[in-house]
Amino acid sequence: MIEDNLEGLSGGERRFMLLVASLGDGGVLVDLGDIIPGLDGGVLALVLAAIAHAGGSHEHSGFEFTEDGTPTSIVRLARLYDWLNGNII
């Protein structure tokens, strides 16, 4: 288990690993109020991307409409996180 292997990690690394463990199998519970404020910007971006992906943002779709508001087709929406370029969209 991750909790047994946290020695030697920085505070930010430890927080990140606990958060990953909580997302992975649900066996680890974390208080986001304790975890999130201790993450640096790059790690926080990865956490947001992982949560967006777990929520299915890469598969979301929506309707396309005509000017009068009539739906015409279903389109795939942009991902919240561009994994290939590492950019938040």
Side-chain angles (χ1 to χ4, degrees):
M1 298 219 40
I2 287 179
E3 303 99 321
D4 299 331
N5 297 293
L6 297 176
E7 283 188 42
L9 297 179
S10 71
E13 291 168 336
R14 187 177 193 293
R15 287 179 185 91
F16 178 72
M17 293 304 290
L18 287 170
L19 183 60
V20 168
S22 73
L23 290 173
D25 67 8
V28 176
L29 298 177
V30 297
D31 182 341
L32 292 178
D34 292 338
I35 299 289
I36 299 298
L39 300 177
D40 65 34
V43 172
L44 183 57
L46 290 174
V47 169
L48 294 172
I51 291 170
H53 185 78
S57 74
H58 60 293
E59 299 175 331
H60 288 171
S61 59
F63 290 105
E64 197 167 74
F65 298 92
T66 62
E67 287 184 25
D68 68 358
T70 304
T72 59
S73 62
I74 297 175
V75 295
R76 183 165 297 251
L77 300 175
R79 293 179 227 161
L80 293 177
Y81 192 86
D82 179 8
W83 287 99
L84 296 177
N85 297 314
N87 297 318
I88 295 177
I89 296 176

